[in-house]
Amino acid sequence: MSEASTAAQSGATSMVVRRYPFDLEAALGGDWFGGDRFRTIIANALSIPLPSGERMFIRALRHYLDQIQDPLLREEVKIFFKQESTHTQEHVKYNRWICQHRGYDLAQVEAPYKDHNEYLCEHAEPRLLLATTVCMEHLTAIISHLLISEPAWLADAEPVVRDFWLWHSVEEIEHKGVAFDVYRQVIDDKGYLDEVMRRTVVQLAQNLRFTACQMYLMEGGRPRDVRQWLDSSPFLNGAQGLLASIVQHVDDFYRADFHPWDHDNRHLIGLVSNHLEQAFA
Ligand SMILES: [Fe+2]
Ligand SMILES: [Fe+2]
């Protein structure tokens, strides 16, 4: 275990559940991301899997709760449950609003994720659920880091929607080591985790593209334009785009002694927490 990870674990009880009265409905009806329809759809597509995904993460960790010997880690897991439940509640509303205002069929756009996650919860072995959770948590932490540390990503978003994503992102950074630490204590098979990560990265990219296409078509985009529409935007597919940025940051994960807190970005937590406190003062 690296020094960074030891320090992070001992300091992580400062995790808190933040609740703010986000008033998103009006903004989510429009192209809130700088008036850019494509970027708005991609960002909204990231919200669709979250309710069913975060419920699965909670279930994955709950299965192992009694096997966690370290009281500090047990405490962190309980705060993780509260943070993820709050995220789920807020993204349920977010998803309902984008569907109501942009003409999506909620059941249809959610189905691939809901069905997959429910199938995993029902039939997969607990270690696969936990490994998937670790991988998704790491990918979420990478996106969160990008959004907070490179303000250009969200610079021209509607302030209320930007604050919403910053709020979710800061808690993802705060709890980024929790599922990993549980996995290390109860499973501790890095080879298996790496295997699951390889599949998860591919799935994330495919799912994001699929959901964005569904949304584009459901809001009236022409079927014959959809591929060109999807492939032509540097925001998703460019060398500095979202997918390339994620892949670039994932490489480190495959090191044998990797820990999420090797990349110590805790300074971002204070930054965003202060910003949100001021925004909602
Ligand atoms: Fe979350
Ligand atoms: Fe999370």
Side-chain angles (χ1 to χ4, degrees):
M1 189 189 306
S2 71
E3 277 184 23
S5 60
T6 309
Q9 284 181 328
S10 62
T13 42
S14 57
M15 284 165 58
V16 288
V17 181
R18 298 162 183 80
R19 292 180 201 273
Y20 295 105
F22 293 107
D23 188 8
L24 297 171
E25 185 170 6
L28 289 178
D31 290 336
W32 58 265
F33 212 156
D36 184 319
R37 183 184 181 195
F38 182 89
R39 282 191 292 156
T40 302
I41 289 178
I42 295 292
N44 285 342
L46 284 169
S47 175
I48 295 294
L50 291 172
S52 67
E54 292 182 321
R55 283 189 196 111
M56 188 197 83
F57 304 161
I58 290 171
R59 187 165 171 152
L61 265 68
R62 197 180 295 285
H63 177 85
Y64 290 103
L65 194 56
D66 291 343
Q67 296 178 41
I68 301 168
Q69 304 299 326
D70 178 353
L72 177 61
L73 183 55
R74 285 173 64 90
E75 199 48 43
E76 288 175 13
V77 170
K78 288 176 185 167
I79 303 172
F80 173 94
F81 290 161
K82 289 182 185 158
Q83 287 185 332
E84 294 295 34
S85 313
T86 311
H87 301 167
T88 295
Q89 287 163 16
E90 293 299 322
H91 280 274
V92 164
K93 288 190 271 181
Y94 187 113
N95 293 349
R96 195 175 61 228
W97 284 326
I98 56 174
C99 290
Q100 276 170 3
H101 294 294
R102 299 186 69 104
Y104 310 139
D105 180 329
L106 180 61
Q108 217 178 324
V109 289
E110 269 190 334
Y113 305 102
K114 217 162 161 269
D115 293 353
H116 180 70
N117 290 329
E118 283 174 7
Y119 180 86
L120 280 181
C121 286
E122 197 72 19
H123 301 287
E125 53 174 348
R127 76 165 186 159
L128 175 59
L129 272 192
L130 183 57
T132 305
T133 299
V134 173
C135 295
M136 283 308 301
E137 282 290 302
H138 185 58
L139 295 172
T140 310
I142 288 173
I143 297 172
S144 299
H145 178 81
L146 289 173
L147 294 185
I148 299 176
S149 65
E150 298 176 27
W153 280 102
L154 287 172
D156 55 3
E158 288 280 338
V160 65
V161 190
R162 182 181 61 221
D163 286 348
F164 176 80
W165 281 105
L166 288 175
W167 160 76
H168 193 160
S169 297
V170 78
E171 295 194 351
E172 290 304 319
I173 289 179
E174 206 168 53
H175 71 225
K176 69 176 181 174
V178 174
F180 189 95
D181 288 337
V182 172
Y183 182 88
R184 195 164 52 173
Q185 284 200 14
V186 300
I187 308 285
D188 200 21
D189 180 346
K190 187 63 171 48
Y192 178 70
L193 192 58
D194 290 351
E195 205 182 296
V196 174
M197 179 57 107
R198 285 188 193 94
R199 292 203 300 263
T200 307
V201 171
V202 174
Q203 270 166 11
L204 175 75
Q206 282 173 349
N207 292 345
L208 185 57
R209 290 167 65 90
F210 178 77
T211 302
C213 286
Q214 271 188 314
M215 290 171 147
Y216 174 82
L217 295 172
M218 284 179 186
E219 60 180 66
R222 294 192 306 181
R224 69 178 182 194
D225 295 339
V226 68
R227 177 166 286 280
Q228 193 204 350
W229 174 78
L230 193 65
D231 289 342
S232 63
S233 168
F235 177 73
L236 183 67
N237 298 307
Q240 309 293 321
L242 186 62
L243 293 178
S245 301
I246 294 171
V247 169
Q248 205 180 350
H249 283 76
V250 168
D251 277 355
D252 201 34
F253 184 89
Y254 299 109
R255 260 192 301 114
D257 62 347
F258 169 83
H259 186 278
W261 283 108
D262 291 344
H263 180 215
D264 191 349
N265 55 356
R266 266 172 295 177
H267 63 288
L268 299 177
I269 298 172
L271 201 73
V272 174
S273 298
N274 292 340
H275 166 76
L276 291 172
E277 282 304 308
Q278 282 170 14
F280 288 93

